């Protein structure tokens, strides 16, 4: 389970991240992301104030559609993703909001594979704490 402050809720917030944010596609999932600075720059009137706070804890939401499988499979995938992301919350820069969208291949993936995809997507989006401290240089 994710801590309450780290949970993304509300369809408007999900819509903002998926439509205005950046994304990184991987074999088993797609990570959509937006930073507090980007949200503030858009000037969207109906936005959660936490999304514009650059010092806020990272927030994460999950989308697992029927294309992934039946109800049992979808919930299993969502639980795995929550567990994988919870372990990585400390590595994500403060003020970031993520939406993790599972693809059908996530249903047969091991947790380690999902974790690798999350890590790869965060590196590509330059949202890891190590990228923020070095200005994105590696």
């Amino acid at each position: 389970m994710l801590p309450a402050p780290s949970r993304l809720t509300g369809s408007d917030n999900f819509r903002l991240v998926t439509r205005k944010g950046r994304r990184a596609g991987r074999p088993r999932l797609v990570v959509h992301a937006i930073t507090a600075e980007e949200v503030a720059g858009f000037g969207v009137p109906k936005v959660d104030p936490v999304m514009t706070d650059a010092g806020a804890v990272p927030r994460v939401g999950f989308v697992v559609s029927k294309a992934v499988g039946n109800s049992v499979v979808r919930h299993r995938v969502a639980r795995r993703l929550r567990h994988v992301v919870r372990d990585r919350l400390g590595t994500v820069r403060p003020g970031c909001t993520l939406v993790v969208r599972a693809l059908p291949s996530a249903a047969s993936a091991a947790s380690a594979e999902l974790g690798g995809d999350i890590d790869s997507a965060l590196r590509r989006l330059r949202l890891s704490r190590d990228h923020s401290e070095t200005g994105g240089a590696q």
Side-chain angles (χ1 to χ4, degrees):
M1 188 71 116
L2 287 174
S6 296
R7 294 182 207 147
L8 181 66
T9 59
S11 60
D12 289 339
N13 295 334
F14 275 83
R15 191 174 304 114
L16 176 68
V17 176
T18 55
R19 292 190 181 166
K20 299 280 188 183
R22 298 171 288 138
R23 72 173 182 248
R26 292 293 167 251
R28 291 163 280 275
L29 51 88
V30 177
V31 176
H32 299 266
I34 196 165
T35 62
E37 295 83 13
E38 292 169 341
V39 173
F42 292 136
V44 180
K46 287 175 44 178
V47 67
D48 189 349
V50 176
M51 290 186 71
T52 59
D53 181 6
V57 296
R59 296 174 67 193
V60 185
F62 301 94
V63 176
V64 184
S65 74
K66 286 185 178 181
V68 174
N70 64 23
S71 176
V72 173
V73 173
R74 291 194 311 269
H75 284 85
R76 182 182 308 129
V77 169
R79 281 193 307 271
R80 282 185 179 168
L81 287 172
R82 271 196 309 269
H83 179 76
V84 166
V85 170
R86 183 190 67 202
D87 293 341
R88 288 159 175 78
L89 273 180
T91 65
V92 179
R93 282 191 327 203
C96 294
T97 305
L98 308 173
V99 172
V100 179
R101 185 167 46 93
L103 299 176
S105 56
S108 60
S111 293
E113 293 172 321
L114 295 174
D117 284 351
I118 293 281
D119 292 338
S120 175
L122 290 175
R123 278 193 306 274
R124 181 158 186 252
L125 292 168
R126 300 191 184 283
L127 295 177
S128 300
R129 284 184 188 264
D130 58 346
H131 279 98
S132 65
E133 294 166 0
T134 61
Q138 291 189 19

